[in-house]
Amino acid sequence: MNIVLQLIQKEIKSEWKQKYAFNGLLLYVVSTVFVCYLSFRQIVDLPTWNALFWIIQLFAGVNAISKSFLQEGRGRMLYYYTITNARSFILAKIIYNLLLMLVLSGFNLIFYSLFIGNPVQNMPMFILAMVLGSAGFSAVLAMVSAIASKAGNNFALMSILSFPILIPILMVTIRFSKNAMDGIAWAVNQQFAIILLALIAMVFALSYLLFPYLWRD
Amino acid sequence: MKNNTTSVFSGLQWWKWLCIVLLFYTFYQGLMIEVPRMAILHETIRNLFFHVTMWFSMIIMMFASLVYGIRYLSSNDIKFDIKASESAYTGVFLGILGLATGSLWAKYTWGAWWVNDAKLNGAAAAMLVYFAYIILRGSIDDEHKRAKLASVYGIFAFTMMLVFIMILPRLTDSLHPGNGGNPGFSNYDLDSKMRTVFYPAVIGWALLATWITEINVRIKVLKNKSEE
């Protein structure tokens, strides 16, 4: 566990060192929201508001997490190979990506509400949906990023591989957050939270079990 | 180099014979058997033997692909990767046939080639996952690297396919029998006559899929040998 924390620290430090990449991501989110604002002006239809929010979230997530392995060169991977093991490495990557996704979704939510408006009735539940969705995204995307980087650093491949397997998590999250928007009672909505948690547990377990096979060349 | 005159049938294993017999039975009985007369469905109910069976055989093929993928990861034997990929290709082929037969059925019962139904969308998404699997395989040149990445992605693909076609449709209403308050198909088939065709049909189509896969695996192995 100690080594996982150290790896997360190292990720944060190296992110801090190249601030332009992180700032670039924030700018990506803000400018996407702004483009949506200019094209839609105002969104009255609730499902559209929700769907657009999650599509921005999806693209931001794929952009942010694709670099988590694509940026690691061969030399650096060899170095990690000598100092740590596969399981702690993927765990650190997932947790770090989760933090990144949370920051990005926070930004997304603030600017999205600012420009396009915020019709959400049950904000805590919506934020819970955001946290769970980010957790699912980060586990899937970390793994797909590892696969795509091994397959020759191809960014298009990253989107092709990740979009279809993100659909279940995305669909349940959209349903869950839509209910939060309508202020539907927790008793009704909790089934989606449970399904989402089960899905997240599943992708976490798969990533954790399968990453050691990708680790070695 | 003797014995070139033997008939094509002489070397067939028993399960291939079984496949031929079951499929003949499926086509004959499937079209001739007396089916329950239902409103809307009418004679299209016979599509049960050709549409639903495609999905059954597809899942069997994908499961085979999953098992061979896991066996590749634990043994690093390229033979298992060939089997995994060819099973997945056959599965995708069956999935396309399943979509096509389903689309035809939807046109004559629900009124459109494509309806916004959880099962249809799930099946289409499952197909997308496996198309991505094929693209991934195509993008890597190194044999062992391709095998490893494809096996890992294949395991993800299979679990997501189960989520798509087993779990997500149960969350919403569906036009399909057995979902969203619709009676299951077993309710239509009161005298169980359709079962006598349906189960043999499932086995027949699954055997045919296995047969296709087996031939493709043999072709692939021979190609690999000739390239060496």
Side-chain angles (χ1 to χ4, degrees), chain B:
Chain B
M1 279 295 136
K2 55 186 165 55
N3 235 353
N4 277 338
T5 51
T6 47
S7 120
V8 256
F9 293 109
S10 63
L12 285 190
Q13 284 133 307
W14 63 270
W15 59 270
K16 291 178 180 169
W17 282 111
L18 183 65
C19 169
I20 293 169
V21 171
L22 285 177
L23 285 183
F24 266 109
Y25 174 79
T26 302
F27 273 98
Y28 184 77
Q29 281 292 78
L31 297 177
M32 300 307 281
I33 187 187
E34 202 172 310
V35 290
R37 309 211 169 273
M38 321 280 301
I40 302 173
L41 274 173
H42 299 299
E43 292 290 318
T44 66
I45 202 168
R46 299 184 192 276
N47 203 3
L48 177 77
F49 312 128
F50 306 99
H51 166 66
V52 182
T53 49
M54 287 300 136
W55 295 115
F56 273 67
S57 345
M58 182 193 85
I59 293 173
I60 294 170
M61 281 296 109
M62 294 314 188
F63 185 70
S65 172
L66 171 84
V67 171
Y68 285 125
I70 294 173
R71 286 180 76 180
Y72 172 79
L73 286 179
S74 57
S75 70
N76 272 329
D77 186 346
I78 206 75
K79 181 180 83 202
F80 290 126
D81 179 59
I82 293 174
K83 286 184 177 171
S85 61
E86 293 304 333
S87 318
Y89 293 159
T90 314
V92 168
F93 177 62
L94 292 168
I96 293 170
L97 288 181
L99 283 179
T101 49
S103 186
L104 206 64
W105 203 356
K107 175 68 184 162
Y108 290 101
T109 49
W110 300 333
W113 297 107
W114 190 271
V115 292
N116 186 15
D117 180 87
K119 274 204 175 165
L120 271 75
N121 293 340
M127 284 293 100
L128 279 184
V129 176
Y130 276 96
F131 284 137
Y133 172 86
I134 293 172
I135 300 275
L136 175 68
R137 291 194 70 88
S139 71
I140 309 165
D141 288 328
D142 183 69
E143 196 180 42
H144 278 280
K145 195 182 230 181
R146 176 174 59 214
K148 195 158 60 177
L149 297 183
S151 305
V152 170
Y153 192 74
I155 294 171
F156 258 92
F158 185 79
T159 43
M160 288 303 155
M161 186 188 75
L162 285 188
V163 172
F164 281 131
I165 59 182
M166 305 275 191
I167 299 170
L168 289 186
R170 286 188 172 54
L171 287 180
T172 46
D173 287 347
S174 169
L175 293 166
H176 277 83
N179 291 92
N182 294 337
F185 233 107
S186 49
N187 292 20
Y188 295 168
D189 181 24
L190 290 176
D191 52 359
S192 288
K193 217 182 231 172
M194 291 183 74
R195 279 169 215 267
T196 59
V197 183
F198 179 69
Y199 294 126
V202 170
I203 300 171
W205 288 117
L207 286 178
L208 184 69
T210 316
W211 195 350
I212 294 171
T213 311
E214 194 216 17
I215 291 173
N216 280 333
V217 168
R218 274 158 62 192
I219 292 173
K220 200 68 171 286
V221 168
L222 286 176
K223 254 189 195 157
N224 276 4
K225 249 182 208 157
S226 70
E227 275 167 14
E228 268 163 18

Side-chain angles (χ1 to χ4, degrees), chain A residues 107-127:
Chain A
F107 247 78
N108 188 3
L109 185 63
I110 291 169
F111 280 91
Y112 199 71
S113 321
L114 191 69
F115 284 115
I116 303 181
N118 190 341
V120 178
Q121 290 187 26
N122 189 340
M123 207 56 201
M125 215 203 280
F126 191 85
I127 289 173

Side-chain angles (χ1 to χ4, degrees), chain A residues 17-80:
Chain A
K17 255 173 142 179
Q18 348 171 325
K19 274 199 255 351
Y20 73 93
F22 182 67
N23 292 339
L25 278 175
L26 294 185
L27 186 61
Y28 181 86
V29 170
V30 174
S31 43
T32 314
V33 170
F34 192 63
V35 167
C36 292
Y37 164 66
L38 288 180
S39 358
F40 283 94
R41 294 287 165 182
Q42 209 184 5
I43 298 178
V44 186
D45 187 35
L46 293 182
T48 314
W49 189 94
N50 192 32
L52 191 64
F53 178 84
W54 282 103
I55 289 171
I56 295 173
Q57 194 69 1
L58 173 70
F59 277 85
V62 170
N63 250 308
I65 299 178
S66 65
K67 71 178 179 54
S68 79
F69 279 90
L70 296 183
Q71 70 174 7
E72 310 278 14
R74 213 182 131 65
R76 254 210 259 175
M77 284 308 284
L78 276 175
Y79 175 61
Y80 293 133

